Amino acid sequence: MSGPDKPKVIGEEWSDERVRSFLAIQPWDAAENPDFNALLKAYQAMRAEDFERFIGFFVAEGRDLNAAGLDGETILDLISRHRRSVDYARALENAGAKKTAAAGD
């Protein structure tokens, strides 16, 4: 977390333990898919190379890369609209994630 008491650190190396810790993140809203939530939180917090490592751990646990959020979109649908997220999208696609039919290309 960043803030007045803890400044944001850019370029910090993340250990495997820290990357894996995102597997345990649970959504606040019980209706939200836990797999989508974990992917979203990892995407929001990690650099692309750390996110790619996270995806490896995520898949190894048998979790769902194509889990949908409350709006029916997958994490790949969401980040594919962010022009600076190409490396994140590529990591997901390489691991087998798919866009929903509604998201298109």
Side-chain angles (χ1 to χ4, degrees):
M1 247 184 207
S2 64
D5 296 338
K6 187 170 181 184
K8 187 173 186 175
V9 177
I10 306 293
E12 177 184 6
E13 293 297 319
W14 283 40
S15 68
D16 283 350
E17 180 180 324
R18 184 172 179 194
V19 171
R20 279 189 183 107
S21 72
F22 278 72
L23 294 168
I25 290 176
Q26 293 295 312
W28 288 97
D29 185 342
E32 183 153 22
N33 184 301
D35 287 345
F36 176 84
N37 185 68
L39 289 164
L40 177 63
K41 297 303 181 189
Y43 165 67
Q44 291 172 333
M46 296 179 189
R47 298 173 304 169
E49 55 269 18
D50 297 320
F51 184 73
E52 186 170 14
R53 288 176 31 227
F54 173 77
I55 294 302
F57 299 139
F58 189 86
V59 170
E61 284 205 356
R63 308 246 332 237
D64 184 6
L65 286 175
N66 296 306
L70 295 174
D71 61 0
E73 286 191 318
T74 67
I75 192 68
L76 184 56
D77 295 335
L78 175 71
I79 70 174
S80 291
R81 294 192 303 269
H82 303 164
R83 66 173 197 232
R84 293 187 178 170
S85 297
V86 172
D87 292 336
Y88 295 86
R90 186 177 305 118
L92 285 162
E93 289 168 340
N94 288 343
K98 305 285 184 217
K99 290 182 187 176
T100 62
D105 278 321

